[in-house]
Amino acid sequence: MKIVEYSRSLQWVGDLRCNQCNGLTPAWRSSGMSQCFPHFYCDTCSNVIHRASDQRLVWSDKSRSILEQITNTLPKCSCGGQFAANCGPNCKHCHAEIAIVRDAVEYLHNPNMIVIDGACTYSDEREPYMVRIVE
């Protein structure tokens, strides 16, 4: 799998603070210009999926019924977990979920995909890749 490295010095690289253990998890956040919506996290690991086919469904609308339609087609993750609408990435220290999805319907239009160090992104338009945060 391809590895994409992001330097800590970039404006889109930072840390997510865990509400459970207060630990910091390095992460890259796509810019709003990338239009990475909707995207969904695995319920087991921190991998994330963004599919253009889902984007076409929510481009001009977002609703509970569209969310359910998409959710019913989300695949299993390579780790064995399931991509889901109400999950966020996991803390690198205590593995608790870092809650970034407060309202799954509203989140359908969030263009900023957050990918933590070591997580993989999946798409229906490109090969998967792993994000690596480097000093």
Side-chain angles (χ1 to χ4, degrees):
M1 176 178 297
K2 179 179 173 182
I3 296 175
V4 178
E5 294 184 341
Y6 294 99
S7 169
R8 271 209 168 275
S9 64
L10 294 173
Q11 69 179 2
W12 299 108
V13 174
D15 292 304
L16 292 176
R17 183 175 300 280
C18 177
N19 289 332
Q20 201 80 353
C21 73
N22 229 16
L24 298 177
T25 297
W28 166 76
R29 180 178 63 141
S30 69
S31 73
M33 302 278 290
S34 67
Q35 299 180 339
C36 285
F37 70 91
H39 55 272
F40 304 95
Y41 294 91
C42 175
D43 63 5
T44 304
C45 71
S46 295
N47 291 341
V48 61
I49 190 169
H50 167 261
R51 302 183 299 184
S53 58
D54 298 335
Q55 189 178 57
R56 287 189 289 277
L57 290 173
V58 302
W59 188 262
S60 60
D61 190 21
K62 58 185 176 196
S63 67
R64 176 70 50 199
S65 62
I66 291 173
L67 177 64
E68 289 173 8
Q69 180 182 347
I70 292 170
T71 300
N72 290 334
T73 67
L74 289 172
K76 291 259 185 213
C77 180
S78 61
C79 78
Q82 177 70 46
F83 289 106
N86 58 351
C87 298
N90 296 327
C91 172
K92 291 283 259 188
H93 307 283
C94 72
H95 307 290
E97 179 187 343
I98 300 173
I100 60 172
V101 180
R102 304 219 187 314
D103 179 330
V105 173
E106 286 300 314
Y107 197 78
L108 286 171
H109 281 180
N110 184 334
N112 301 114
M113 184 170 69
I114 297 171
V115 186
I116 70 163
D117 181 46
C120 299
T121 67
Y122 295 90
S123 169
D124 57 357
E125 292 188 315
R126 66 183 185 290
E127 292 297 315
Y129 65 91
M130 177 185 290
V131 166
R132 184 71 62 208
I133 309 298
V134 296
E135 294 301 318

